[in-house]
Amino acid sequence: MMNESKFFRQFWELREQTLALAESVSPDLVDIVPSGFNNSIRWNLGHILVAWDHGIFPKINESRRIPQKYHFMFPKGSRPSAWTEEPPAYEEIVSRLRSQVDEIITASDGKLNDLVAQPFLRVKYVRGMFTFHLREEEHHLNCMRRIIAAAESAPAVE
């Protein structure tokens, strides 16, 4: 079984990859939803933020840290085309993603082997929530890479 420090390092390293992509993408591409996709890079980053916020803090009996607005705009199944208000600034999302790592690690330290306070699928332990969300973040990171590739290869609109 992986010890906590290795587990947390895996989370930190994956988040660094997510942030590197977020900070390197052209501002012109963050809200593009290419043909064949439902969501944008901004949506994927907001979703990662919300998923970790909802998937960890309540499971260790702590309050979520992200404003409620995020939880309404970026849940599973949502999409930018259904938004009725302006999304949070891209820079704000990226900043929250950066600070979230330390918040989650600090709050979860010593609790990975604890039972989750709220049931989630078949996950019984906080460690399982981390495993689930690491896979989810990796999935969304790959989605964003595909969005960038599709947007960059799309013919220019005149």
Side-chain angles (χ1 to χ4, degrees), residues 7 19-20 23 26 29 33 46 56-57 65 85 110 134 144 153:
F7 219 78
L19 289 166
E23 292 169 344
S26 165
L29 297 182
V33 179
I56 297 296
F57 295 116
R65 309 293 205 270
E85 61 182 288
L134 286 168
M144 291 185 287
S153 68

Side-chain angles (χ1 to χ4, degrees), residues 118-137:
Q118 297 177 357
F120 178 78
L121 302 174
R122 293 186 181 154
V123 177
K124 294 184 188 317
Y125 297 94
V126 175
R127 175 181 302 277
M129 293 305 300
F130 267 82
T131 300
F132 176 84
H133 287 291
L134 286 168
R135 280 195 299 251
E136 271 292 294
E137 183 161 342

Side-chain angles (χ1 to χ4, degrees), residues 52-118:
W52 277 101
D53 190 57
H54 183 72
I56 297 296
F57 295 116
K59 307 304 186 261
I60 59 173
N61 286 315
E62 292 201 19
S63 298
R64 298 186 302 195
R65 309 293 205 270
I66 304 302
Q68 194 68 31
K69 172 182 178 172
Y70 280 75
H71 289 273
F72 290 128
M73 295 192 90
F74 302 107
K76 180 180 180 180
S78 65
R79 55 181 60 175
S81 61
W83 288 343
T84 57
E85 61 182 288
E86 198 65 31
Y90 188 76
E91 297 75 20
E92 179 183 325
I93 294 169
V94 173
S95 175
R96 287 183 185 278
L97 283 164
R98 184 169 300 289
S99 62
Q100 186 182 54
V101 180
D102 287 336
E103 289 177 358
I104 287 174
I105 291 173
T106 300
S108 303
D109 194 23
K111 298 177 183 174
L112 291 184
N113 294 318
D114 291 0
L115 289 168
V116 295
Q118 297 177 357

